[in-house]
Amino acid sequence: LAKTTQPISMDSYEGQEVNITCSHNNIATNDYITWYQQFPSQGPRFIIQGYKTKVTNEVASLFIPADRKSSTLSLPRVSLSDTAVYYCLVVGEYGNKLVFGAGTILRVKS
Amino acid sequence: KAGVTQTPRYLIKTRGQQVTLSCSPISGHRSVSWYQQTPGQGLQFLFEYFSETQRNKGNFPGRFSGRQFSNSRSEMNVSTLELGDSALYLCASSPGLSASTDTQYFGPGTRLTVL
């Protein structure tokens, strides 16, 4: 599974749009990009997953360029409750093993 | 549907003891995975079970073991506990065989403290 690199931390203010970029240079053809959110002392929670171009759900958008070597998670109008660690993962076609990196600590301020 | 449940939520043990943690997946889910989370190492994959068979194993010593029952419930066991085993142990369940097609749902975790 491809290794991912993302910023260690980011700060934002309530109401702003937050974009977290992740690089995954060695992504394989059949790999998907998945993002999870984790609050302290809780299990990670699935946010969004995509293969290419753009995916949007009620929580976030995921932008994946044509070469798929990076992806950007976009959180519209963040609130204090979005303060969490965000993990970018590359998941393979087979198996449920998730390989987590260090994640990005997002701090939203008022 | 009820979410993934893990018991106990908190546990305190001493070095050398053994511990068994339990995970009940979401109804209908057949895959259960276990993860260890520590401040130093982050989230690390332990093992994955599907239909009572271990399909994948992480890089942990043999003191860490697991099993899955016919009702998909899973247990993990750690023998001869060490101080470094203190961690949040997370269980995740999913309906099928692939994380690329099936969302994984995590439980709240069991906080193990080894004294």
Side-chain angles (χ1 to χ4, degrees), chain B residues 8-26:
Chain B
R9 292 293 312 279
Y10 303 91
L11 204 50
I12 299 175
K13 291 286 189 178
T14 56
R15 279 181 301 174
Q17 287 187 311
Q18 72 146 18
V19 67
T20 298
L21 311 182
S22 181
C23 171
S24 292
I26 292 172

Side-chain angles (χ1 to χ4, degrees), chain B residues 24-62:
Chain B
S24 292
I26 292 172
S27 177
H29 285 193
R30 297 169 65 190
S31 169
V32 173
S33 300
W34 288 89
Y35 295 82
Q36 180 198 64
Q37 186 169 30
T38 60
Q41 300 297 319
L43 266 160
Q44 293 187 287
F45 172 81
L46 279 158
F47 25 65
E48 175 202 353
Y49 288 87
F50 186 89
S51 292
E52 302 178 68
T53 301
Q54 187 179 88
R55 295 202 318 143
N56 223 333
K57 190 177 191 307
N59 189 26
F60 278 81

Side-chain angles (χ1 to χ4, degrees), chain A residues 2 6 8 11 15-16 21 28 32 34 52 56-57 59-61 63-64 67 75-76 81 87-88 91 102 109:
Chain A
Q6 51 185 121
I8 295 173
D11 290 332
Q16 289 187 328
T21 297
Y32 283 72
T34 306
K52 62 180 178 181
T56 298
N57 61 22
V59 176
S61 294
F63 299 91
I64 306 167
D67 67 5
L75 304 172
S81 63
Y87 295 97
C88 166
V91 297
K109 305 174 186 177

